[in-house]
C-alpha cells in the first residue's frame, strides 16, 4: 500500500469515525461471544463461561486502542485535538491572535524579501553577463602535483585580464568567497 493510499484510508476512517467505532465494538463483542460459546459447549456454567471468556480475551479497550493506533487514528486525533485547543485559545484572546498573525506575516514577508535579494545578488549572478554559458574559468596548475587550483593571486588575475584584452575574450572578472586579510581584494 502506497503512502497516498494509506493516508486516504486514514482520512476515510477519520471521516467515518462513528461507523468505525461501531464496527470495532461489534467485532470485539463477536470475539467475546464466540469464546463464551466455546466455553459453554465444553460444559462450563454460563456465568463462569462469561468470566472465562473475559479473562481469555483480555481488555477490549486495550485492543481497541491498538486497532486505532494501527489505523493511524491516534496521530490524526492528536492533530485534531491540538487544532481545537489552538482555535479555542485564539477565540478566547482575539488580540493575541491578531498579534500572532501580524508577527507571522511580518516574519514571512521579511524572510521572502531577504531571500529575493540574496537570490538576485548571490545566487543568480550579475545582470551584465549576457551569455552565462560562455563564461570561462581559469585555473592555476601546480607543477609538482599537477593539480588544478582555483586560487590565484592578484598578479595572476592581472595576467589573465591582460590575456583577455588581447584575445577573443570580452573581459575578465574575479571574485572572492572570503575576505582578504591583506587589504587587497578583487571584486
Amino acid at each position: 500500500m502506497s503512502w497516498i493510499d494509506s493516508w486516504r484510508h486514514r482520512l476515510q476512517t477519520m471521516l467515518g469515525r462513528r461507523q468505525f467505532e461501531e464496527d470495532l465494538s461489534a467485532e470485539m463483542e463477536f470475539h467475546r461471544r464466540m469464546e463464551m460459546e466455546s466455553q459453554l459447549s465444553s460444559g462450563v456454567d454460563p456465568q463462569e463461561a462469561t468470566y472465562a471468556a473475559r479473562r481469555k480475551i483480555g481488555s477490549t479497550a486495550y485492543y481497541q486502542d491498538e486497532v486505532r493506533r494501527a489505523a493511524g487514528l491516534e496521530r490524526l486525533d492528536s492533530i485534531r485535538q491540538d487544532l481545537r485547543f489552538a482555535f479555542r485559545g485564539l477565540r478566547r484572546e482575539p488580540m493575541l491572535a491578531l498579534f500572532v498573525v501580524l508577527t507571522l506575516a511580518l516574519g514571512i514577508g521579511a524572510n521572502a524579501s531577504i531571500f529575493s535579494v540574496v537570490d538576485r545578488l548571490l545566487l543568480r549572478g550579475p545582470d551584465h553577463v549576457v551569455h552565462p554559458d560562455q563564461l570561462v574559468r581559469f585555473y592555476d596548475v601546480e607543477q609538482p602535483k599537477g593539480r588544478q587550483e582555483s586560487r590565484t593571486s592578484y598578479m595572476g588575475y592581472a595576467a589573465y585580464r591582460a590575456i583577455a584584452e588581447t584575445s577573443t575574450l570580452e573581459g575578465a572578472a574575479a571574485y572572492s568567497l572570503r575576505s582578504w586579510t591583506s587589504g587587497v581584494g578583487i571584486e
Side-chain angles (χ1 to χ4, degrees), residues 3 5 7 16 23 26 28 46 66 77 82 96 99 102 106 113 125 132 143 147 150 153 164 181:
W3 66 271
D5 292 335
W7 276 100
D23 291 346
M28 294 306 292
E66 286 295 315
D77 277 344
D82 289 346
L96 177 65
F99 179 73
L102 289 176
L106 184 64
S113 62
Q143 290 300 329
R147 293 189 315 193
S150 60
S153 65
T181 57

Side-chain angles (χ1 to χ4, degrees), residues 21-37 50 53-54 57-58 60-61 63-64:
E21 292 295 333
E22 288 173 3
D23 291 346
L24 186 57
S25 295
E27 186 170 350
M28 294 306 292
E29 179 60 27
F30 169 77
H31 287 290
R32 190 192 59 76
R33 207 171 337 118
M34 292 300 291
E35 183 59 35
M36 192 172 85
E37 287 176 11
T50 303
R54 285 186 183 163
I57 295 286
T60 57
Y63 289 117
Q64 287 174 336

